[in-house]
Amino acid sequence: MVTLAEVAQHAGVSASTVSYVLSGKRSISANTRQRVERSIRELGYHPNAGARALASSKSNIIALMVPLRTDMYVPVMMEIAIAVATSARAHGYDVLLLTGEEGPDAVRRVAGSGLADGMILMDVELDDERLPLLRETDQPSVLIGLPADTTGLTCVDLDFRATGALCVEHLAKQGHQDIAVIGEAPAVYERHTGFAERTLEGLRSRSRELGVRLLHRPCEGGYDAMAVTLARILDERPGTSGIIVQNESAVEPLLALLRQQGRAVPEDVSVVAICPDQVATQASVRLTSVAIPAQEMGRHAVDHLVAKLDGRGSDEVVLIAPELTVRGSTGPAPSRP
Amino acid sequence: MVTLAEVAQHAGVSASTVSYVLSGKRSISANTRQRVERSIRELGYHPNAGARALASSKSNIIALMVPLRTDMYVPVMMEIAIAVATSARAHGYDVLLLTGEEGPDAVRRVAGSGLADGMILMDVELDDERLPLLRETDQPSVLIGLPADTTGLTCVDLDFRATGALCVEHLAKQGHQDIAVIGEAPAVYERHTGFAERTLEGLRSRSRELGVRLLHRPCEGGYDAMAVTLARILDERPGTSGIIVQNESAVEPLLALLRQQGRAVPEDVSVVAICPDQVATQASVRLTSVAIPAQEMGRHAVDHLVAKLDGRGSDEVVLIAPELTVRGSTGPAPSRP
DNA sequence: ATAGGTTATCGAAGCGCTTCGATACCGATT
DNA sequence: AATCGGTATCGAAGCGCTTCGATAACCTAT
């Protein structure tokens, strides 16, 4: 293993000079710089991460806490995680992967040990138990998702309230009067996940304003659960002509069931999905949808965290404006008999 | 920030004693141990990761290199990644997330800087460009996937050859004579991903042995691509009665298309999938499948790597035996006219 | 009582780096 | 010629921990 001292000796300078060449924190003559850089290359030198962290109290690592549950919106999680890792590298940071398993203790461990300089939390619940710790250790952090109380926190999220409103609006504008919402699994609502509840608020308030009827039903993913849910909806509201889905694993089953029942999309029923673009375009019907901008969220989170670590940047809540893309699954409401 | 020295002072012992209490590398009297542990608790002490890494040349971090591509078998990747993170924690290690983006350089960087003690590589190609580096730096590592040359390497993977064979066997046993294979996207074969090619080998050799006809077609995910692929298959081999799918995002489109064309599963066509159990059970037809044991692979990889880091364990190739679960999508071949 | 062997603890060195004065040299200003 | 402000470099201290002898205290066996 090559050390700074060896590079220094090889280049005929002192260790501190090599350090300054590396960090650029003091001016170095062009001549010396080149000699040092050459030695670094020739010896294949890589600074030791531990020593660096110890001396500078900076690890150049960002911790990313992903939910342990693999049952929910997995591709989105993955996409965010990869976006985070990629953007972090672009800023010179590596990413430490923490699962939700450890719970709040992970926050304590990371903050206490100086393992990471800051952390990004995904899947934040409205009343998340990690937040008190985050505030008290004042660990630099960014949340992906929006808790109930955001004082002193930096959050990045899609504006799910506006997303809900946007979906209702789109359908209402086309004349749909009876709209059904197929939501995430009941467990998601029970644990008060922010995005699910806020979507619902948006859906409800906008439909109230626009005078359309709204029926919300949580739904486990999969074909069987979807069959039951759809039957219940059509039973309660036979006139339903617009459906909003916020559950990736319910999308394809829903479309299959509608087809099977002879309900044409979009002639008989219009469908709007809240899902990543990939899902919307790869479904059996090209879906009108509001995209979940996973990449953008990951990138934003990293940018904000890095800004904080650099002493720039402040606490703030960034809500990304939703965008509805019209594809082939929505159209005018059928005229009622 | 609390340091070892402060704990030592608080407990009235020397720093080294505290260190030995923590590591258990020398015997400590019960009395002293308790006093020290109490101080640790009262002061909320966490050892500094950087200092530890520097002094012990061990970071207690495992690097996990995931593919950058988000287009392929995403849930499997995610499940493996989470299994790795979870098992690693159980062994006292944290996980550093590296994306394929950096390519081979990441290996050099991690090995050189002592950032991680070892690494796990996912999505290994047959002739992976990271392997020479891995061998030359003799960085402790485990591959998930099987390259062409495994000398000096430890690998964990599902036995995809046996998996292919198993699928053919199952269908042949039920009398199917004409079998079609819907594979991964063409790009996957072009970059010589090991698992795809080995599955194919297994499929081909077993079908030759059993005297059944086999047609293999790569397929991009999604509905449209699937429609084209299926049409071509049925055009070339109208008598096809068994289909093997190895492409998660083709599964649901395939089932929808078959339904749409009035081909009943399993009465007219039998379908075997190679996919995670979750996909097989949540599809619109409960699929007979060979599971991809993501969790098990992640766990194995970590166990082997930790064994290596402890000086136990040797280079070896672990192939997990495939298991075929019969569900509702396969049955006897229809009698030919 | 003394040598020999344990067991429990301490002190000091050192891991590889960053960073803060200090120093030496230079040309420009008076 | 003496002074000043830069610029380029060096040396040494120190980050918080691990680990290796050394030492002291205590048993046991002679």
Side-chain angles (χ1 to χ4, degrees), chain B residues 164-219:
Chain B
L166 193 56
C167 292
V168 168
E169 242 163 64
H170 177 70
L171 289 176
K173 208 176 287 170
Q174 311 242 30
H176 297 274
Q177 289 295 318
D178 259 310
I179 298 175
V181 179
I182 293 164
E184 297 281 359
V188 175
Y189 296 93
E190 276 155 24
R191 76 171 102 96
H192 298 294
T193 310
F195 83 93
E197 304 215 340
R198 284 181 294 116
T199 309
L200 206 49
E201 285 170 22
L203 289 163
R204 288 205 173 123
S205 68
R206 199 84 186 97
S207 56
R208 218 174 299 121
E209 287 167 25
L210 297 175
V212 302
R213 304 217 296 164
L214 194 79
L215 192 70
H216 170 255
R217 291 289 173 270
C219 179

Side-chain angles (χ1 to χ4, degrees), chain A residues 97-145:
Chain A
L97 186 68
L98 304 175
T99 63
E101 188 195 34
E102 261 184 292
D105 287 347
V107 176
R108 216 178 260 117
R109 193 166 62 86
V110 170
S113 68
L115 233 188
D117 297 330
M119 59 194 308
I120 295 177
L121 306 191
M122 296 175 67
D123 194 37
V124 175
E125 297 175 17
L126 276 180
D127 187 20
D128 203 293
E129 54 180 342
R130 296 167 296 187
L131 300 187
L133 265 174
L134 226 47
R135 291 199 174 96
E136 128 197 345
T137 61
D138 68 358
Q139 164 85 272
S141 61
V142 173
L143 316 190
I144 295 183

Side-chain angles (χ1 to χ4, degrees), chain B residues 129-148:
Chain B
E129 54 181 341
R130 296 167 295 187
L131 301 188
L133 267 173
L134 225 47
R135 291 197 174 97
E136 128 198 344
T137 60
D138 68 359
Q139 164 83 271
S141 61
V142 172
L143 315 190
I144 295 183
L146 214 53

Side-chain angles (χ1 to χ4, degrees), chain B residues 42-328:
Chain B
E42 285 185 10
L43 300 180
Y45 168 71
H46 284 268
N48 178 293
R52 220 169 213 195
L54 178 57
S56 66
S57 335
K58 277 213 56 187
S59 63
N60 280 295
I61 289 182
I62 289 175
L64 175 68
M65 207 159 158
V66 304
L68 188 59
R69 303 174 257 282
T70 51
D71 59 329
M72 206 173 61
Y73 43 94
V74 175
V76 183
M77 291 284 127
M78 186 76 181
E79 218 179 315
I80 294 180
I82 290 190
V84 165
T86 308
S87 326
R89 279 303 311 147
H91 288 284
Y93 285 87
D94 274 295
V95 170
L96 198 74
L97 187 67
L98 303 175
T99 64
E101 188 194 36
E102 261 184 293
D105 286 347
V107 176
R108 217 179 259 114
R109 193 167 61 87
V110 170
S113 67
L115 233 187
D117 297 330
M119 59 193 309
I120 295 178
L121 306 191
M122 295 176 67
D123 194 37
V124 175
E125 296 175 18
L126 276 181
D127 187 20
D128 203 294
E129 54 181 341
R130 296 167 295 187
L131 301 188
L133 267 173
L134 225 47
R135 291 197 174 97
E136 128 198 344
T137 60
D138 68 359
Q139 164 83 271
S141 61
V142 172
L143 315 190
I144 295 183
L146 214 53
D149 177 11
T150 62
T151 40
L153 298 174
T154 299
C155 313
V156 173
D157 206 357
L158 175 63
D159 188 340
F160 278 99
R161 227 173 178 294
T163 299
L166 193 56
C167 292
V168 168
E169 242 163 64
H170 177 70
L171 289 176
K173 208 176 287 170
Q174 311 242 30
H176 297 274
Q177 289 295 318
D178 259 310
I179 298 175
V181 179
I182 293 164
E184 297 281 359
V188 175
Y189 296 93
E190 276 155 24
R191 76 171 102 96
H192 298 294
T193 310
F195 83 93
E197 304 215 340
R198 284 181 294 116
T199 309
L200 206 49
E201 285 170 22
L203 289 163
R204 288 205 173 123
S205 68
R206 199 84 186 97
S207 56
R208 218 174 299 121
E209 287 167 25
L210 297 175
V212 302
R213 304 217 296 164
L214 194 79
L215 192 70
H216 170 255
R217 291 289 173 270
C219 179
E220 301 278 356
Y223 200 78
D224 297 344
M226 188 63 244
V228 174
T229 305
L230 184 60
R232 282 233 324 259
I233 289 172
L234 294 177
D235 193 37
E236 292 179 69
R237 296 271 170 86
T240 298
S241 65
I243 296 181
I244 297 167
V245 213
Q246 178 176 215
N247 182 338
E248 280 174 38
S249 55
V251 166
E252 203 52 60
L254 171 65
L255 296 175
L257 282 161
L258 290 174
R259 219 163 19 236
Q260 195 175 305
Q261 300 181 3
R263 293 175 201 264
V265 174
E267 289 77 4
D268 301 324
V269 187
S270 284
V271 176
V272 180
I274 301 171
C275 66
D277 270 338
Q278 212 200 349
V279 173
T281 57
Q282 286 217 346
S284 53
V285 176
R286 289 176 51 80
L287 292 169
T288 295
S289 72
V290 175
I292 296 178
Q295 306 237 23
E296 202 179 340
M297 285 160 67
R299 209 162 24 74
H300 261 86
V302 171
D303 288 349
H304 272 79
L305 184 53
V306 170
K308 273 191 172 183
L309 295 177
D310 288 355
R312 304 173 287 119
S314 55
D315 295 338
E316 73 185 292
V317 174
V318 179
L319 289 185
I320 300 173
E323 286 182 31
L324 186 144
T325 306
V326 180
R327 298 200 183 82

Side-chain angles (χ1 to χ4, degrees), chain B residues 12-25:
Chain B
V13 298
S14 76
S16 50
T17 302
V18 177
S19 178
Y20 287 124
V21 167
L22 249 31
S23 68
K25 292 190 179 174

